[in-house]
Amino acid sequence: MVKTISLIGFIQAIFGILIFVSKRPKHLSFTIITFWLFIIAISLGTKLLPFDTVEYLKFGVFPILFSHGPLLYLYVNSLVNENFKLNWKHLLHTLPIFIIGIQRSLGNQVSMNSSPDLSENPNYIYNNIYYALLIISVVTYWILSIQLILKHRKSIPYFFSNYTAKNTLNWLILLIVVFLFLIVIELFISYIEKLMNTKFTELSSIHINLTIFTFMLVFFGIKQTAIYKKQKISLSDSVKTKNTQAALNERQEKDLNKEIIQYLKTKKPYTNPDYSLQMMVEDLNVPRYKISHVINASQKKNFFKFINEFRVKEVKEKLADPLYKHYTLLGIALECGFNSKTSFNRIFKEETGVTPSHYKKSLQL
């Protein structure tokens, strides 16, 4: 049974590696997740090897488990930080792997095929210490990763016109919560087994957890693409933004504001639910920091609110147009660039003070 579960997880990991290696366009996040799946494949693959063969590998799989926390943290960074690059300082994250691996090799305490459960190898105090350090490492890195995601979410209204599964990273938070839940269950079972001096099952919970985790990582990771495409303000842009008032005089600011509004009215790019600040930058061929300044200063609002005001106006126009009288409210909302019924109802009420259905009824009076 253990080998069957490990085989399923191993195949999933290899399948994911092949997909991410061939995925285009290339992005750093794909490289990190590919390496992550490779580490998982090693961890699960050892259960498929003959025990005698595994015994020669004294380093052990257990130290490799310390890589999951750092890999998640680096993966999240590659998604939410446009300017993120891997460098030599990131190798510091691997120190626990090598230190513990060397100690275990010299001490010959646990083979690669051994389980890291607290209920096993009770005579070796190092095993309990390592297991506690593993839990601390995973929880710490994953809390830091959630903080990165939450910080990123605060910047979404300045760069995007809709909240989507791609830019909110809800799936990644779900993945973290599920995995932490599985760890808690594993600890609870290990504690009860040790307390009762028995073993409920021969199954290795760490391999079950990795198999479930691998499935979710591949399933959701395939759908995730790069969030930012040269959108976030770089250091040079930040300096320019501080001096935008000097770079743009009052006349230039008014002219650019008119150009933006005219562009939105004539082209209606906001009907694209994925419309972003970068798309506006590319269409107008105007530096990002200038457009951001005009929207924030002249319109007194962020990009999200600015664009959705145009969408609400478009909805109101279509509701008053006889050509759209057979359309449902949701159908009109989707035509105007909203990506869900929930966000449409909320934004429409914020802008008009009434719900879309109430507004539609008022037109029929």
Side-chain angles (χ1 to χ4, degrees), residues 7 28 40 53 55 69 92 129 142 154 165 184 193 196 229 263 288 313 358:
L7 178 61
L28 178 59
I40 293 174
T53 303
E55 278 296 288
L92 293 174
I129 294 175
W142 291 35
K154 292 180 180 179
V184 171
E193 286 179 340
M196 299 178 64
K229 185 182 177 182
Y263 152 75
R288 178 175 50 197
K313 290 177 183 177
H358 184 79

Side-chain angles (χ1 to χ4, degrees), residues 16 18 28 36 40 51 57 67 72-73 76 104 114 133 166-167 183 190 203 213 236 252 271 321 327 337 357:
L18 294 175
L28 178 59
W36 197 354
I40 293 174
F51 182 77
L57 305 173
S67 66
L72 171 69
Y73 183 70
V76 172
R104 285 165 66 89
S114 297
L133 289 176
K166 171 187 168 183
N167 62 36
I183 287 178
S190 296
L203 293 178
F213 177 78
S236 59
Q252 290 173 325
T271 56
D321 190 340
Y327 277 62
S357 57

Side-chain angles (χ1 to χ4, degrees), residues 102-222:
I102 291 172
Q103 194 283 325
R104 285 165 66 89
S105 297
L106 295 176
N108 193 23
Q109 293 188 30
V110 183
S111 72
M112 180 181 272
N113 209 34
S114 297
S115 169
D117 289 345
L118 285 171
S119 58
E120 295 192 13
N121 304 296
N123 296 326
Y124 300 108
I125 189 172
Y126 285 120
N127 295 329
N128 292 352
I129 294 175
Y130 292 157
Y131 201 92
L133 289 176
L134 174 62
I135 300 302
I136 293 172
S137 172
V138 170
V139 172
T140 300
Y141 273 110
W142 291 35
I143 288 176
L144 290 174
S145 298
I146 289 179
Q147 288 179 336
L148 274 178
I149 295 173
L150 295 179
K151 182 180 179 181
H152 150 72
R153 284 183 173 183
K154 292 180 180 179
S155 69
I156 290 177
Y158 296 94
F159 300 100
F160 301 95
S161 61
N162 269 320
Y163 286 87
T164 65
K166 171 187 168 183
N167 62 36
T168 58
L169 296 177
N170 285 332
W171 72 270
L172 207 46
I173 291 183
L174 174 64
L175 185 71
I176 293 172
V177 171
V178 168
F179 197 72
L180 288 178
F181 174 76
L182 292 174
I183 287 178
V184 171
I185 295 298
E186 179 181 344
L187 282 173
F188 178 75
I189 293 175
S190 296
Y191 175 75
I192 296 298
E193 286 179 340
K194 188 174 182 180
L195 193 66
M196 299 178 64
N197 195 26
T198 185
K199 193 166 181 64
F200 297 130
T201 176
E202 294 300 320
L203 293 178
S204 174
S205 55
I206 192 68
H207 290 83
I208 296 175
N209 292 352
L210 278 177
T211 299
I212 296 173
F213 177 78
T214 304
F215 172 77
M216 295 182 67
L217 185 62
V218 174
F219 180 80
F220 291 108
I222 290 173

Side-chain angles (χ1 to χ4, degrees), residues 303-316:
F303 182 78
F304 178 88
K305 186 171 179 60
F306 180 55
I307 295 302
N308 280 297
E309 281 184 359
F310 278 87
R311 286 174 175 157
V312 169
K313 290 177 183 177
E314 187 76 12
V315 168
K316 291 165 72 175

Side-chain angles (χ1 to χ4, degrees), residues 4 64 214 250 260 276 307 328:
T4 301
I64 298 178
T214 304
E250 187 176 348
I260 292 173
S276 65
I307 295 302
T328 63

Side-chain angles (χ1 to χ4, degrees), residues 217-277:
L217 185 62
V218 174
F219 180 80
F220 291 108
I222 290 173
K223 303 176 184 179
Q224 181 66 49
T225 56
I227 297 176
Y228 294 104
K229 185 182 177 182
K230 295 184 179 180
Q231 283 192 15
K232 276 204 167 180
I233 299 176
S234 63
L235 181 60
S236 59
D237 273 357
S238 298
V239 174
K240 290 177 182 177
T241 303
K242 294 178 182 178
N243 300 316
T244 303
Q245 204 67 39
L248 282 176
N249 57 43
E250 187 176 348
R251 177 62 181 274
Q252 290 173 325
E253 189 174 312
K254 286 183 178 179
D255 288 343
L256 181 54
N257 185 47
K258 287 181 181 179
E259 183 182 357
I260 292 173
I261 292 175
Q262 184 63 26
Y263 152 75
L264 290 172
K265 286 181 177 179
T266 56
K267 301 291 185 181
K268 297 186 177 182
Y270 50 80
T271 56
N272 176 4
D274 295 323
Y275 188 61
S276 65
L277 178 63

